[in-house]
Amino acid sequence: MPNGQNELVSIEGTVEKIIYHNDENGYVVCEMLAFSDELYTVCGNMPYLAVGETIKALGDFVTHPQFGRQFRVEYYEKQMPSNATAILKYLASGTIRGIGPVTARHIVEKYGDDTFEVLENHPEWLSDINGISARKAKDIGEAFKAQFGMRNVMAFCRQYFGPATAVRIYKKWGCSAVDVINKNPYVLCDEIHGVTFEKADAIAKNLGFTSGSDERIGAGIKFVLQHNLYQNGHVFLPQEKLVETAAKLLGCDKEKAEDVLAYLVSLGELKFVRESGLKCIYLPDVYDAETYIAKKLDIMEQVNHSLDTENLAALVKKVELENGIEYEELQKRAIKEAVANSVFVLTGGPGTGKTTVVRAIIRIFSSMGLDIALAAPTGRAAKRLSEAASMEAKTIHRLLEMQFAPDEQSVFVRDEANPLDEDVIIIDESSMIDVFLMSALLRAIKPSARLVLIGDADQLPPVGPGYVFRDIIESDRFSTVVLTHIFRQASESLIVTNAHAVNNGVYMDLSKKDADFFFLPRPSDEETASTIVSLCAKRLPRTYGLTAFGGIQIITPSKKGVNGTEMLNNSLQAALNPPSAEKREKKVRDIILREGDKVMQIKNDYDIEWAREDGSYGVGVFNGDIGVISEINLSAERVTVLFDDKRAAYDFSMLDELELAYAITVHKSQGSEYPIVIIPLYRYSQRLLTRNLLYTALTRAQKMVVLVGDEEVSRRMIENNRRTKRYTGLSFIFAKYE
């Protein structure tokens, strides 16, 4: 098998040449002269490897299709050069700042095998050599100690982490990393991407920290907040709920958890707010984001853009005549409100004419000489908006000009100091925007600009934290129009009529057969799953010419069960992209990723680099982006994924960010549309049998919906109007500005 594991081989030798190195993850390709006098090409994660170093490596020999035979490293150990010849090669490589080939030769000629002893303990002796001043000798000594400090950090981290994480730790704290971790290992889950609380807890236990230490309880409290922020969307937690959950997780008394919580609040590491009888605990950056949203929207709302009634009516009439259309009354009201207000919200279900309103307000704003920017949270949504409006639309991240620089976090170029130039910002699929993205967007908008938010308030909340679109609407602070009239052409679609029926709590008539909506009853979950695989593999491709890689998407409520994403993805992978000698694969967690697989990015990653065929490039792959694995390079430990026209590279340490996407959850489908959507109706957690979940799934389809399974499940979902509860504070904060 392509991903098979052979018994590890051991080789030892000296690094002769560095062919390639990646500073971000420590991946290196080098030439090594083995003690047997054989020259090997060695590759793998070997951070900060230098010419002249002696290494012992464990791994296996592989054949690269382009570069031939290589030794792929699984584990390795460094030994510093021990004789004058090896020391000269090491120092001449430029590893130690301030020492080049000439200086290296002078030092080794004078001190020979004792060179490292001099550099570490008596660097001032170097000033005896012509060309080395006392100051330079001191600098060389400090650089040498820093290099050894780095080696100590990497050696310490190797027992707990892979090379990529070890590199991140060293870049964060430098030579003091070991001291930082020994003092409080829980800083790892606060500061280092990819280090979980569980991992930091295990390290702390190994270092002798007790289960009742303040450091552990403080980290546990923050972990509970972080987990609920990203997994459940809660922007804050009530203090009582937070303390109870943390105490149970950590196995400590509530009183102890309360004391540590109060201490963290006093340090400013957590934020306490008392609102409407609730004691709310925030992570500081989340509180700052919510507070900024409310403040900025209030400032914008105070700018007067109003026009008199006659002028508004004339503008609307002019657009009607130009387009040969007569707008419905709610549409007219929406157009007028959008033009007259600084902040305007437009919401409504499918077929209610939101796109028609957007075209009209674009036409009016253009006639007023205003510059307009269109954007949406996802690439697919931006593409749809662009097509509907006949002008370019960008993702919000691209609009804000997100950039990434080595050793820095990703940043948005557009912010308060460098705001967007446009006078009108129109955002579609606004229900998907979480609290952090809305805060970043508002920071980039001029206070004098207009903001138009468009979306469907009945969709599920965003995948990220908060419930911003709903909170803005429910604040009743900003002009909002809800479109309810379903237009004739849309009403002829069973997708549209059934979606509205579901949203209104009315059962769908599944006996109707139409070109865009089908129900296939199946008596068991197993037969439902079998039918779905058959539809994707044979029936739909044969009839409509679309495949699961380009048009068909299974959307299911849950990860679990026979018709959850986990089992369906395994079945569909076996049917659509089975194992092959020509296809390399890599096991990740409990799944196999194979060349040709359909995959989804499951978290926002602002650091992943991508490139297009035209030579353009950028950074950032986002939660919900779907692509196909084009290459798995086992020797380079790299996976390449093609997202539409963008090729993104993942090293193996990043593969937890990918999962199979033949079937995806309803939550992950938000903001996207697919020509054909297949929805399994099967019995699963009552918590997920909800009306708005079914409504969201139905509205993801452009041309056809196929329901497969148990009709009674759809009835239960329609009857259950339970909404997702999220703790958010925007409503509290908005109230302060009234």
Side-chain angles (χ1 to χ4, degrees), residues 436-512:
F436 293 123
L437 188 56
M438 180 61 81
S439 174
L441 174 65
L442 289 172
R443 289 179 192 278
I445 296 177
K446 296 181 295 188
S448 60
R450 292 173 165 89
L451 174 64
V452 178
L453 298 173
I454 306 159
D456 187 341
D458 293 316
Q459 299 278 355
L460 291 170
V463 175
Y467 219 152
V468 178
F469 191 61
R470 183 203 64 179
D471 288 346
I472 290 172
I473 293 172
E474 292 186 354
S475 73
D476 208 22
R477 290 285 313 281
F478 308 99
S479 175
T480 301
V481 172
V482 182
L483 299 178
T484 56
H485 177 75
I486 303 174
F487 288 87
R488 183 182 63 81
Q489 185 176 0
S491 68
E492 294 173 355
S493 164
L494 274 181
I495 296 175
V496 172
T497 56
N498 278 329
H500 282 278
V502 168
N503 200 35
N504 292 323
V506 176
Y507 294 150
M508 298 177 287
D509 183 355
L510 298 182
S511 65
K512 290 183 178 179

Side-chain angles (χ1 to χ4, degrees), residues 25-26 44-50 53-58 73-80 147-170 177-178 181 188 195 199 203 206:
N25 59 24
N45 288 95
M46 297 176 284
Y48 302 104
L49 193 67
E53 288 187 306
T54 300
I55 63 171
K56 178 179 180 180
L58 292 175
V73 175
E74 294 287 340
Y75 311 98
Y76 80 106
E77 295 177 356
K78 288 184 181 182
Q79 288 95 34
M80 288 297 288
Q147 181 73 3
F148 268 85
M150 176 271 293
R151 288 169 57 82
N152 292 336
V153 171
M154 302 306 293
F156 175 84
C157 289
R158 190 182 298 129
Q159 61 187 310
Y160 301 116
F161 306 108
T165 302
V167 169
R168 286 196 289 270
I169 290 170
Y170 178 70
V178 175
I181 295 169
L188 290 164
V195 179
K199 183 65 175 178
I203 295 170
N206 192 46

Side-chain angles (χ1 to χ4, degrees), residues 141-400:
E142 290 176 353
F144 184 78
K145 287 180 180 179
Q147 181 73 3
F148 268 85
M150 176 271 293
R151 288 169 57 82
N152 292 336
V153 171
M154 302 306 293
F156 175 84
C157 289
R158 190 182 298 129
Q159 61 187 310
Y160 301 116
F161 306 108
T165 302
V167 169
R168 286 196 289 270
I169 290 170
Y170 178 70
K171 287 185 174 182
K172 177 69 179 179
W173 293 301
C175 296
S176 62
V178 175
D179 291 336
V180 170
I181 295 169
N182 280 322
K183 183 178 180 181
N184 181 8
Y186 294 101
V187 297
L188 290 164
C189 54
D190 276 347
E191 302 286 347
I192 304 299
H193 171 69
V195 179
T196 64
F197 170 76
E198 290 86 351
K199 183 65 175 178
D201 202 27
I203 295 170
K205 184 177 180 180
N206 192 46
L207 293 175
F209 281 75
T210 65
S211 62
S213 69
D214 288 355
E215 292 88 352
R216 180 174 187 264
I217 293 171
I221 289 170
K222 292 179 183 178
F223 166 74
V224 172
L225 285 170
Q226 289 277 5
H227 177 81
N228 278 278
L229 179 72
Y230 290 108
Q231 297 301 316
N232 300 320
H234 298 310
V235 172
F236 69 85
L237 284 180
Q239 180 173 317
E240 184 177 345
K241 191 178 187 74
L242 172 60
V243 168
E244 182 179 345
T245 305
K248 185 176 180 180
L249 169 73
L250 300 166
C252 69
D253 295 332
K254 289 184 182 179
E255 292 76 12
K256 176 70 171 178
E258 286 176 345
D259 290 344
V260 174
L261 173 59
Y263 181 63
L264 292 175
V265 170
S266 72
L267 293 177
E269 294 183 24
L270 296 178
K271 180 73 176 178
F272 171 84
V273 179
R274 188 189 299 272
E275 291 289 355
S276 302
L278 278 179
K279 297 177 180 178
C280 310
I281 306 296
Y282 285 84
L283 294 163
D285 59 335
V286 190
Y287 177 78
D288 291 344
E290 258 200 346
T291 304
Y292 186 86
I293 290 168
K295 180 180 179 182
K296 183 62 173 283
L297 287 174
D298 180 71
I299 290 171
M300 292 178 66
E301 181 64 12
Q302 293 180 40
V303 178
N304 184 7
H305 289 301
S306 63
L307 299 173
D308 62 64
T309 304
E310 288 186 9
N311 278 340
L312 278 173
L315 286 170
V316 174
K317 190 64 179 177
K318 181 181 178 184
V319 175
E320 284 183 321
L321 292 172
E322 288 175 349
N323 294 328
I325 188 174
E326 183 174 350
Y327 299 118
E328 184 263 341
E329 284 305 311
L330 273 177
Q331 288 182 314
K332 288 182 181 179
R333 180 186 159 202
I335 296 166
K336 293 175 182 178
E337 294 283 312
V339 175
N341 289 278
S342 300
V343 179
F344 173 68
V345 179
L346 177 67
T347 184
T352 56
K354 294 193 296 292
T355 300
T356 302
V357 172
V358 172
R359 291 193 189 108
I361 62 178
I362 289 173
R363 181 73 189 87
I364 291 174
F365 283 137
S366 296
S367 71
M368 295 167 64
L370 301 177
D371 291 328
I372 304 165
L374 303 183
T378 69
R380 291 174 185 267
K383 185 177 180 180
R384 290 201 317 274
L385 178 60
S386 182
E387 291 167 352
S390 298
M391 65 177 289
E392 183 186 17
K394 302 176 180 178
T395 63
I396 297 174
H397 295 87
R398 186 176 165 214
L399 178 71
L400 302 184

